[in-house]
């Protein structure tokens, strides 16, 4: 199918707003593919750490991003054949990811890889710039927000469930720093696309949010 005809739903928003869970749920209901673009930035960060690469050298970091030997297999993520599904979820990796994500050459290096996820019957793409840069022609664009305290609580719970240690006040500080970096960077900053639907999930559970998105989608599908 011509890739322009493949339907795409983009879900962008700040860190720990629940985009990942929402995107997976929506993709499952529709039977579509999923792109977790944040994982690609996290994988780049992990590759930088593994290689002992100087994080300040944006072109060397971009080379690592371009050459990532990554496979998404079911729920597993393999980097150079190694299962890094859990390792990339550490806060340290997330923080480094947000730093490498500010580099334009890194974003450029990951662009084609992200677009290649767009396959029939459809794609749900989760990130920061899915609706603004990567899939500007997406049929439905969601911008998922939630207040920072609620997001810190969710991230805290998520990290604990994964067996990582986490401190709530440190997390709150981390999230604020990451928000600021994501929103103020020069290239592809975190912002809602002009034609995005803004959904605030501060006071609603996942079921309710999934329904909001599916209702918006149904309203756009002819017939
Ligand atoms: O889980 P969390 O929302 O904290 O982050 P993520 O979605 O896994 O992404 C990790 C980092 O990659 C974010 O803090 C962003 O700085 C960056 N990112 C980005 O710049 N553009 C994207 N499309 C996705 C993630």
């Amino acid at each position: 199918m011509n890739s322009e005809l493949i339907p795409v739903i983009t879900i962008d928003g700040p860190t720990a707003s629940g985009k990942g869970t929402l995107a997976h749920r929506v993709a499952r209901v529709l039977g579509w593919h999923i792109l977790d673009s944040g994982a690609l930035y996290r994988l780049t960060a992990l590759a930088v750490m593994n290689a002992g690469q100087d994080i300040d050298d944006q072109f060397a970091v971009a080379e690592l991003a371009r050459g990532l030997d990554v496979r998404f297999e079911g729920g597993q993520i393999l980097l150079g054949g190694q299962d890094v599904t859990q390792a990339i979820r550490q806060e340290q990796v997330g923080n480094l990811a947000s730093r490498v994500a500010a580099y334009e050459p890194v974003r450029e290096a990951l662009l084609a890889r992200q677009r290649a996820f767009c396959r029939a019957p459809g794609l749900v793409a989760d990130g920061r710039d899915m609706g603004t840069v990567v899939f500007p022609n997406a049929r439905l664009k969601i911008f998922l927000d939630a207040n920072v305290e609620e997001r810190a609580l969710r991230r805290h719970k998520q990290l604990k469930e994964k067996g990582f240690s986490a401190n709530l006040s440190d997390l709150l500080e981390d999230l604020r720093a990451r928000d600021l970096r994501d929103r103020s960077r020069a290239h592809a900053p975190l912002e809602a696309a002009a034609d995005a639907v803004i959904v605030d999930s501060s006071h609603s559970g996942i079921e309710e949010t999934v329904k909001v998105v599916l209702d918006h989608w149904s309203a756009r599908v002819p017939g």
Side-chain angles (χ1 to χ4, degrees), residues 88-150:
I88 61 164
R89 297 298 153 198
Q90 300 170 80
E91 268 315 275
Q92 185 198 2
V93 178
N95 281 324
L96 207 60
S98 128
R99 288 178 60 193
V100 302
Y103 295 152
E104 190 177 16
V106 171
R107 306 199 71 85
E108 194 60 42
L110 293 175
L111 203 53
R113 206 189 274 264
Q114 294 176 81
R115 291 191 175 140
F117 277 77
C118 185
R119 286 177 286 125
L123 177 73
V124 181
D126 151 10
R128 302 291 191 286
D129 60 341
M130 299 294 98
T132 49
V133 176
V134 183
F135 300 107
N137 299 322
R139 301 245 191 106
L140 174 61
K141 300 178 183 178
I142 301 290
F143 190 85
L144 184 68
D145 213 343
N147 65 50
V148 71
E149 290 80 10
E150 184 59 35

Side-chain angles (χ1 to χ4, degrees), residues 6-60:
I6 298 170
V8 177
I9 297 177
T10 58
I11 302 182
D12 289 305
T15 194
S17 56
K19 304 178 305 288
T21 312
L22 176 64
H24 276 92
R25 294 286 294 271
V26 171
R28 199 177 329 136
V29 173
L30 296 172
W32 290 6
H33 299 284
I34 179 119
L35 165 61
D36 171 3
S37 62
L40 292 172
Y41 291 95
R42 285 172 178 267
L43 285 159
T44 303
L46 190 63
V48 166
M49 285 162 71
N50 289 347
Q53 175 63 54
D54 174 10
I55 176 103
D56 293 326
D57 183 345
Q58 55 174 315
F59 295 102

Side-chain angles (χ1 to χ4, degrees), residues 149 152-157 166-173:
E149 290 80 10
L153 280 171
R154 288 179 191 170
R155 178 53 51 89
H156 187 254
K157 182 163 173 269
N167 171 292
L168 193 56
S169 59
D170 288 352
L171 271 177
L172 196 57
E173 214 171 294

